[in-house]
Amino acid sequence: MTTTTISQTVARQLLTVQAVRLQPDAPFRWSSGWLSPIYCDNRVTLAYPEVRTYLKQALADAIRQQFPTAEAIAGVATAGIPQGALVADALDLPYCYVRPEPKAHGMGKQIEGRLEAGQRVVVIEDLISTGGSSLKVVDALRANGADVLGMAAIFTYGFPVADQNFRDRNVSLVCLSTYDALLAEAQAMNYITADAMTSLAAWRQNPAEWGL
């Protein structure tokens, strides 16, 4: 299956199970304060075995192709934890997950599981927005001696700031589907109108100011 077909298939699946909601007339407010016509919660896909399995296999295949020397998988807490565990199982690789910060009690761990110094690791994330929280996980892994080969995610909004952040950290990123693929599939499914399509395209160009 081609990359384009995978991107289209994933976009259609996310829309079908309502892991992605498009509401330009009733926008969501993100934790950053941005108003957004889109909300993505890929944890919803876990409730649908067919979709869950497709995403697991697509991520595993992407890692085999792009990061064939991977020795371990690391999930980003919290949404990347189940996706990472599924992918690690498919690849028969060791698994850990990484918190945003070390625990304030107990063992004070930030990395849960076991990670050997020098291990070649691929990070699994469910969603890429600006990349900030995802890249904190990369920093934590590198600080603990891991050789981070790259990151694989289900979906990306495709913000230029994210691309720049990943370049600055020298992290390769592979995403199964994109915002552009999502809009194309939404239009093909008659999920949105032409006017809504214009609004959704405008949001991606200037998300901080959209809707104000």
Side-chain angles (χ1 to χ4, degrees), residues 110-111 115 117 135-148:
Q110 185 171 5
I111 299 173
L115 182 70
L135 289 167
K136 284 183 179 179
V137 166
V138 172
D139 292 342
L141 288 166
R142 286 173 170 170
N144 279 269
D147 178 6
V148 178

Side-chain angles (χ1 to χ4, degrees), residues 107-194:
M107 298 291 290
K109 290 183 178 181
Q110 185 171 5
I111 299 173
E112 297 287 359
R114 182 158 294 170
L115 182 70
E116 303 297 334
Q119 266 189 318
R120 296 187 291 272
V121 180
V122 175
V123 180
I124 301 294
E125 180 64 287
D126 76 319
L127 170 69
I128 302 296
S129 52
T130 64
S133 59
S134 306
L135 289 167
K136 284 183 179 179
V137 166
V138 172
D139 292 342
L141 288 166
R142 286 173 170 170
N144 279 269
D147 178 6
V148 178
L149 300 180
M151 187 177 299
I154 296 172
F155 181 76
T156 178
Y157 291 114
F159 293 137
V161 65
D163 296 337
Q164 187 60 54
N165 286 339
F166 276 84
R167 282 195 297 270
D168 289 347
R169 294 294 223 297
N170 193 30
V171 178
S172 298
L173 175 64
V174 177
C175 297
L176 297 184
S177 194
T178 66
Y179 189 68
D180 290 337
L182 184 82
L183 294 191
E185 285 302 302
Q187 196 166 38
M189 295 168 65
N190 294 317
Y191 194 95
I192 54 174
T193 64

Side-chain angles (χ1 to χ4, degrees), residues 1 3 6 53-68 73 86-87 90-91 124 152 174 176:
M1 188 177 290
T3 301
I6 292 170
T53 299
Y54 182 90
L55 295 176
K56 174 185 70 175
Q57 293 298 341
L59 285 166
D61 289 345
I63 291 168
R64 289 187 186 101
Q65 293 169 14
Q66 301 296 322
F67 311 111
I73 300 296
L86 288 166
V87 172
L91 294 171
I124 301 294
V174 177
L176 297 184

